[in-house]
Amino acid sequence: MDIDCLPFYRTGYFSEFICDYLAQEPQVRSFYNRFPHLENFEGQIAEKATSFPETNREVLYEALQKQYKGFAVTSETQTHLKKLKEPITFTVVTGHQLNLFTGPLYFLYKIVSTINLTKELKKAYPKYNFVPVYWMATEDHDFEEINYFNFRGKKLKWNRTASGAVGHLDTKGLDEIFEAFSNQIGNSTNAIALKELFKKAYLEHTNLADATRYLANELFGKEGLVIVDGDNRDLKRLLVPYAEKDIFDQLAHQKVSETIAEFEALDQKYTIQVNPREINYFYLKDGLRERIVEQNGTYFINDTEIRFTKEELQNELKAHPERFSPNVIARPLYQEIILPNLCYIGGGGEIAYWLELKTMFEAMKVPFPVLLLRNSALVVTEKQTEKLAKMNLSVKDLFLKQSSFINKKIREISNIDIDFNPQKKQLEEQFKTMYELAELTDASFLGAVKAQEVKQKKGLDNLEKRLLQAQKRKLKDHVLRMTEIQNELFPNKSLQERNVNFSELYLELGEDLVPMLLETLKPLQQEFTVVRM
């Protein structure tokens, strides 16, 4: 196994905002609390320790005991659950939707990053305990985002109607996905293991939340991963005072809007990830998850006949906190209220919207966590590595846009020189004399000289392009093989981790997949990892 790393900005797949964050550029400094350097966690531990109530630990522990009831809990996870009651224990969290069969490969990278960071923290701060947590986004209601996974370029989709929180969905119809998947993967030892994993997760559990808990527990239980479902009455009771400030005082809307204004004034190249609403909570009940909207002192549940006066909604919140579901703005706050958390690990888009929230956290008097970009990786199988070696292709070149990649390699392997830059420089030298001559005779001729220079350079560009196209035709078999391997590793011209399901790698690596990722992914290294098998 060979491991390479390259800076995120060199990949071309990460936003300028995230690259500036990783570079700790001064213009983004005000949007985060502490940068994810190992030494900065000392201050984060101290801040969280003095602000996290011990009663919240008891509530968390009891809620998790109920959530794990009926599941086989590893000794490692059981130990972590017990340690959460201790004041010297802190968490590192990642969150993800309930994507079918984990969805894209980066689901694994998120959790591996989280587990590995807790190990690094334990070495650096041995007197404390650190627990890796996966937060299941059970209350999301965008079924179209999670009802499929890609396998060998095909979409295996769960066709059904759905509404409300996806965690509540029953697993009917997933037997059809199981059959389609089983028919495609064969009967190797690793294929049989995958079939068993899918079957036990989705055909032996009655709802999507339980199925996902089983799946994540099977993959990472030996590492002591703790899985949290925020869709819980007791946990949401801790959220009530903060939800009141959002719903009735519109504090979150005010603070996040101010931060967005700072973003926009700072640099137009930065894209706003999420915009706050006046109320950042949904009403959750009986297959319903709809926004709460206020008009003239009356609170409506969007697209329904349900309405409340202010007093009625206050009473509803206190009596039934489980019916109030935080949106993308409020959910991070909820997480930090119920967990003794130090760090959130997420993808580029997630980190970008977390960076909008710092002033809201300050106004709510909740410590803002360290934000860490999850590990990203490209895994190149042994066969793919052999192909690259035969064609003398660098993995780093594969990150180029396909047209640039092909042109670069054609120039390298061509038996003629298809680079007219020397001729262009020679042309520029010749035109210097002509400019001098025009200035000595009649300056009005300068424009004509410039036009002629542009024309001749354009002619050289066109000739270079035609020669390059001719070489591509001559070397078409090589071009075809190059594009095939790039498309394999970057499906849909995007990162492997955003398209490929873990099952494709599991078929090759089997039970060695997760240990391999745990060994190779270094969360604080903050570089893109290339693993050649």
Side-chain angles (χ1 to χ4, degrees), residues 45 47 70 135 215 266 298 316 347 371 389 397 403 447 474 482 497 500:
I45 290 168
E47 184 179 8
W135 180 288
L215 182 59
L266 184 65
T298 299
E316 181 79 354
L371 301 177
D397 284 342
S403 58
K474 185 176 178 180
M482 286 165 51
E497 63 186 36
V500 173

Side-chain angles (χ1 to χ4, degrees), residues 170-346:
D170 63 58
T171 52
K172 290 177 183 176
L174 285 174
D175 53 337
E176 296 175 9
I177 302 290
F178 174 71
E179 290 299 323
F181 182 53
S182 297
N183 291 336
Q184 291 189 44
I185 64 175
N187 289 297
S188 66
T189 301
N190 293 339
I192 291 170
L194 280 172
K195 291 177 189 179
E196 189 70 7
L197 183 60
F198 189 103
K199 181 181 177 183
K200 286 188 173 181
Y202 294 103
L203 306 189
E204 296 181 14
H205 291 89
T206 57
N207 64 58
L208 194 56
D210 286 349
T212 305
R213 181 182 295 275
Y214 175 86
L215 182 59
N217 194 48
E218 284 296 302
L219 291 171
F220 297 105
K222 290 179 182 177
E223 297 297 323
L225 182 70
V226 170
I227 302 162
V228 175
D229 183 353
D231 188 7
N232 179 278
R233 177 189 177 90
D234 294 328
L235 294 176
K236 283 188 176 178
R237 197 174 294 284
L238 301 176
L239 180 63
V240 169
Y242 305 90
E244 288 178 327
K245 292 178 183 178
D246 185 305
I247 296 170
F248 303 112
D249 299 337
Q250 299 186 355
L251 184 59
H253 178 260
Q254 175 194 335
K255 292 301 179 181
V256 178
S257 296
E258 289 172 1
T259 301
I260 288 174
E262 287 184 48
F263 269 54
E264 293 172 336
L266 184 65
D267 201 323
Q268 291 184 348
K269 67 188 177 184
Y270 294 159
T271 302
I272 303 303
Q273 287 295 311
V274 294
N275 285 288
R277 296 186 180 277
E278 286 79 4
I279 296 173
N280 295 286
Y281 283 81
F282 294 91
Y283 191 68
L284 183 68
K285 185 180 179 183
D286 302 330
L288 173 75
R289 188 177 187 248
E290 285 290 345
R291 291 191 295 115
I292 302 171
V293 182
E294 185 266 337
Q295 291 180 3
N296 301 320
T298 299
Y299 294 83
F300 299 85
I301 308 306
N302 196 49
D303 290 335
T304 75
E305 297 299 318
I306 304 172
R307 63 188 63 195
F308 299 91
T309 64
K310 181 178 179 180
E311 185 180 359
E312 287 170 341
L313 193 62
Q314 287 172 326
N315 291 336
E316 181 79 354
L317 177 59
K318 290 172 181 174
H320 299 286
E322 73 279 6
R323 295 178 183 174
F324 292 78
S325 176
N327 73 358
V328 67
I329 294 288
R331 191 210 63 77
L333 184 75
Y334 177 33
Q335 167 193 299
E336 298 300 312
I337 290 163
I338 68 171
L339 295 173
N341 193 47
L342 303 175
C343 177
Y344 183 77
I345 296 179

Side-chain angles (χ1 to χ4, degrees), residues 30-33 251-263 276 329 333 353-369:
S30 63
F31 300 115
Y32 60 92
N33 188 10
L251 184 59
H253 178 260
Q254 175 194 335
K255 292 301 179 181
V256 178
S257 296
E258 289 172 1
T259 301
I260 288 174
E262 287 184 48
F263 269 54
I329 294 288
L333 184 75
Y353 80 68
W354 270 84
L355 289 168
E356 298 177 23
L357 307 179
K358 179 169 171 275
T359 56
M360 178 192 75
F361 272 76
E362 290 170 347
M364 297 283 190
K365 295 182 171 52
V366 176
F368 194 61

Side-chain angles (χ1 to χ4, degrees), residues 252-531:
H253 178 260
Q254 175 194 335
K255 292 301 179 181
V256 178
S257 296
E258 289 172 1
T259 301
I260 288 174
E262 287 184 48
F263 269 54
E264 293 172 336
L266 184 65
D267 201 323
Q268 291 184 348
K269 67 188 177 184
Y270 294 159
T271 302
I272 303 303
Q273 287 295 311
V274 294
N275 285 288
R277 296 186 180 277
E278 286 79 4
I279 296 173
N280 295 286
Y281 283 81
F282 294 91
Y283 191 68
L284 183 68
K285 185 180 179 183
D286 302 330
L288 173 75
R289 188 177 187 248
E290 285 290 345
R291 291 191 295 115
I292 302 171
V293 182
E294 185 266 337
Q295 291 180 3
N296 301 320
T298 299
Y299 294 83
F300 299 85
I301 308 306
N302 196 49
D303 290 335
T304 75
E305 297 299 318
I306 304 172
R307 63 188 63 195
F308 299 91
T309 64
K310 181 178 179 180
E311 185 180 359
E312 287 170 341
L313 193 62
Q314 287 172 326
N315 291 336
E316 181 79 354
L317 177 59
K318 290 172 181 174
H320 299 286
E322 73 279 6
R323 295 178 183 174
F324 292 78
S325 176
N327 73 358
V328 67
I329 294 288
R331 191 210 63 77
L333 184 75
Y334 177 33
Q335 167 193 299
E336 298 300 312
I337 290 163
I338 68 171
L339 295 173
N341 193 47
L342 303 175
C343 177
Y344 183 77
I345 296 179
E350 289 176 280
I351 299 302
Y353 80 68
W354 270 84
L355 289 168
E356 298 177 23
L357 307 179
K358 179 169 171 275
T359 56
M360 178 192 75
F361 272 76
E362 290 170 347
M364 297 283 190
K365 295 182 171 52
V366 176
F368 194 61
V370 174
L371 301 177
L372 179 63
L373 183 66
R374 65 167 173 81
N375 282 112
S376 283
L378 173 67
V379 180
V380 187
T381 65
E382 189 174 352
K383 289 180 182 177
Q384 290 167 335
T385 299
E386 290 172 1
K387 287 182 185 179
L388 292 173
K390 284 180 182 178
M391 289 184 281
N392 195 29
L393 296 177
S394 160
V395 171
K396 292 180 180 179
D397 284 342
L398 294 171
F399 284 87
L400 295 168
K401 300 298 182 187
Q402 194 159 91
S403 58
S404 301
F405 169 59
I406 293 169
N407 289 346
K408 182 177 187 293
K409 299 311 295 182
I410 289 298
R411 284 189 170 95
E412 287 178 7
I413 65 176
S414 179
N415 57 5
I416 60 172
D417 191 1
I418 315 177
D419 183 2
F420 285 3
N421 280 323
Q423 287 83 355
K424 290 174 188 174
K425 288 180 181 177
Q426 187 177 354
L427 193 65
E428 288 170 1
E429 289 298 319
Q430 292 173 345
F431 268 91
K432 277 184 183 178
T433 306
M434 298 183 71
Y435 281 122
E436 291 170 1
L437 184 61
E439 285 181 342
L440 290 171
T441 54
D442 188 343
S444 65
F445 282 112
L446 286 171
V449 174
K450 180 65 176 176
Q452 190 64 31
E453 181 187 10
V454 171
K455 181 179 179 181
Q456 291 196 33
K457 281 185 175 179
K458 192 172 182 180
L460 284 174
D461 285 338
N462 289 334
L463 184 57
E464 186 177 339
K465 288 176 183 176
R466 289 179 65 183
L467 282 170
L468 195 58
Q469 289 299 323
Q471 281 299 95
K472 286 180 185 178
R473 289 192 294 271
K474 185 176 178 180
L475 300 168
K476 64 179 181 180
D477 289 341
H478 197 87
V479 170
L480 181 62
R481 292 197 302 274
M482 286 165 51
T483 54
E484 281 178 349
I485 188 65
Q486 190 184 40
N487 290 339
E488 274 184 39
L489 292 169
F490 293 82
N492 299 320
K493 295 182 172 52
S494 183
L495 289 176
Q496 178 192 65
E497 63 186 36
R498 298 177 186 172
N499 289 274
V500 173
N501 181 260
F502 86 98
S503 57
E504 292 190 40
L505 294 182
Y506 194 96
L507 284 171
E508 298 239 3
L509 301 174
E511 292 183 353
D512 293 334
L513 173 59
V514 170
M516 181 273 287
L517 294 176
L518 288 164
E519 180 185 347
T520 57
L521 299 184
K522 311 297 181 187
L524 294 177
Q525 190 168 285
Q526 292 290 268
E527 289 189 304
F528 194 100
T529 306
V530 179
V531 184

